[in-house]
Amino acid sequence: MQLATVGVMCLVAAAPGGITPPPDPVAWFDLLACALLATVFAFLVQTWAQARMSATRAAVVLTMEPVFAGLFGVLLAGDRLTPRTLAGAACVLGAMYLVELGPRHGADAKVERLEA
């Protein structure tokens, strides 16, 4: 449902400027790779994994997305690793560890006790 809604909204937003198909086979390949691997496969894995862990643990894992995006940007796209980038990564990682290693309260504590 989420992917269908985003698809329809993108079509509506793009319609006034005109919608043209990709110009060549390489662009079609790139489009299909992004659609199938980066979207469909990623959502399937994410949904499967979230069904098997607590909401807090899933949220912590999802907070790592900007850290990995930055890492791949530096390694693959030549982005610069600046003090500001490192400080942002440290903040995300620090928050993740505080949430994950801190005391458990409420439903997550009960779930972890049952899992142990």
Side-chain angles (χ1 to χ4, degrees):
M1 241 5 227
Q2 183 179 6
L3 293 176
T5 302
V6 170
V8 168
M9 291 177 71
C10 287
L11 279 173
V12 169
I19 300 171
T20 57
D24 56 48
V26 172
W28 275 104
F29 175 79
D30 293 343
L31 175 72
L32 289 173
C34 285
L36 295 176
L37 295 175
T39 305
V40 174
F41 180 71
F43 271 96
L44 287 173
V45 170
Q46 179 180 332
T47 303
W48 175 85
Q50 282 179 302
R52 288 157 178 78
M53 63 177 64
S54 70
T56 301
R57 193 165 298 244
V60 167
V61 170
L62 291 174
T63 62
M64 291 299 294
E65 189 273 334
V67 174
F68 282 111
L71 178 67
F72 286 120
V74 168
L75 294 176
L76 302 176
D79 292 350
R80 292 182 337 159
L81 192 58
T82 64
R84 182 177 176 183
T85 307
L86 290 171
C91 287
V92 172
L93 289 171
M96 180 194 69
Y97 282 115
L98 284 173
V99 170
E100 188 60 29
L101 300 176
R104 301 281 182 215
H105 303 288
D108 281 341
K110 292 176 189 173
V111 167
E112 286 197 358
R113 275 187 249 130
L114 291 173
E115 289 176 349

